[in-house]
Amino acid sequence: MPSGPPQGVSAAQERAAALVQRLEQIIGSERVGRGSDVAIHGIRAPLEVRPGDSEQLGQVLTLANEERLAVCVVGGGTKIGWGNRPEHLDLVVSTHDLCGFSHIDADNLSLSVRAGTTVAEARAQAQGINRVLPLDPGRPASATVGGVVATGDQGARGAGYGGVRDVVLGLSAVLADGSPVKFGGRTMKNVAGYDMTKLFIGSFGVLGVITDVTFRLLPRYE
């Protein structure tokens, strides 16, 4: 007898179940949610994932690329009404667990932050080494570093310190096919040639998912 989906189960439902199983094998069942709490322009995805690191993120995006899934990236959810409305949405990728600090250098005025870290946390880290992180987005306690860079949301401080493009020294990202990339450096003198970071800043995640950002800090005067 020909094989096929169980009675009462459509091909679409069978494909969705297989996709969930593959995602759970990649990042663990606790990081895969059926149905997203996030509505992007009123559209909710049937699945949401929270990769624990950039390697897991790369594997998720590789799978999404192979399956031709429509993917949106969410950080703190403060800008989900920005940008164009997606035609449809299959998967939401949350950067919530891609958080923390990978490099802090008070002398060279640089701070490397993972994308899921909130702006408030990054500011506090800079203040702890007597430096200033010149970012001023709306809702800094919720807005993430990755989201701010991806949308170019500088805020009022841009009038004095310049836009996001002026305070980012470099970044790491994962492209839509799962390939990791890294541009720029930790100091201004290390940034040579065409600065590819400019393409990612304000790109709204179209080019890839930002995973780490290195910022230029400012001295803090009492």
Side-chain angles (χ1 to χ4, degrees), residues 28 32 36 45 59 80 87 104 113-114 126 129 131 143 178 203:
V32 181
S36 175
Q59 292 176 317
I80 55 177
E87 294 182 4
I104 303 170
V113 190
R114 295 188 177 93
I129 57 173
R131 298 293 183 262
S203 66

Side-chain angles (χ1 to χ4, degrees), residues 148-185:
V148 166
V149 173
T151 58
D153 180 22
Q154 167 60 300
R157 289 191 178 188
Y161 300 125
V164 175
R165 296 185 178 200
D166 299 308
V167 300
V168 173
L169 295 174
L171 59 79
S172 297
V174 178
L175 303 181
D177 65 355
S179 302
V181 293
K182 184 176 182 180
F183 305 113

Side-chain angles (χ1 to χ4, degrees), residues 93-118:
V93 175
S94 170
T95 63
H96 182 274
D97 292 342
L98 303 177
C99 57
F101 302 88
S102 55
H103 171 78
I104 303 170
D105 191 334
D107 293 333
N108 286 316
L109 300 175
S110 65
L111 176 68
S112 299
V113 190
R114 295 188 177 93
T117 308
T118 67

Side-chain angles (χ1 to χ4, degrees), residues 13-208:
Q13 289 173 319
E14 185 180 52
R15 177 174 179 268
L19 178 61
V20 169
Q21 185 176 31
R22 292 181 67 185
L23 287 169
E24 290 178 342
Q25 290 173 346
I26 292 172
I27 62 176
S29 58
E30 71 281 1
R31 295 187 178 277
V32 181
R34 294 175 181 263
S36 175
D37 294 332
V38 178
I40 300 175
H41 289 283
I43 302 176
R44 295 184 185 274
L47 292 173
E48 179 175 337
V49 294
R50 291 170 57 172
D53 53 38
S54 57
E55 182 178 352
Q56 288 187 351
L57 172 62
Q59 292 176 317
V60 167
L61 292 182
T62 297
L63 174 58
N65 184 57
E66 292 172 351
E67 296 293 328
R68 302 183 67 82
L69 302 180
V71 178
C72 280
V73 186
V74 173
T78 62
K79 302 172 183 62
I80 55 177
W82 293 26
N84 296 327
R85 186 177 189 271
E87 294 182 4
H88 69 283
L89 185 56
D90 299 313
L91 178 68
V92 164
V93 175
S94 170
T95 63
H96 182 274
D97 292 342
L98 303 177
C99 57
F101 302 88
S102 55
H103 171 78
I104 303 170
D105 191 334
D107 293 333
N108 286 316
L109 300 175
S110 65
L111 176 68
S112 299
V113 190
R114 295 188 177 93
T117 308
T118 67
V119 172
E121 291 171 330
R123 280 183 186 169
Q125 191 72 31
Q127 185 175 353
I129 57 173
N130 203 33
R131 298 293 183 262
V132 175
L133 175 63
L135 288 181
D136 190 28
R139 298 167 60 187
S142 299
T144 61
V145 164
V148 166
V149 173
T151 58
D153 180 22
Q154 167 60 300
R157 289 191 178 188
Y161 300 125
V164 175
R165 296 185 178 200
D166 299 308
V167 300
V168 173
L169 295 174
L171 59 79
S172 297
V174 178
L175 303 181
D177 65 355
S179 302
V181 293
K182 184 176 182 180
F183 305 113
R186 292 177 177 174
T187 61
M188 288 296 293
K189 64 182 179 181
N190 287 337
V191 181
Y194 186 76
D195 189 358
M196 295 292 289
T197 61
K198 300 294 191 292
L199 292 177
F200 280 82
I201 298 170
S203 66
F204 284 78
V206 172
L207 300 177

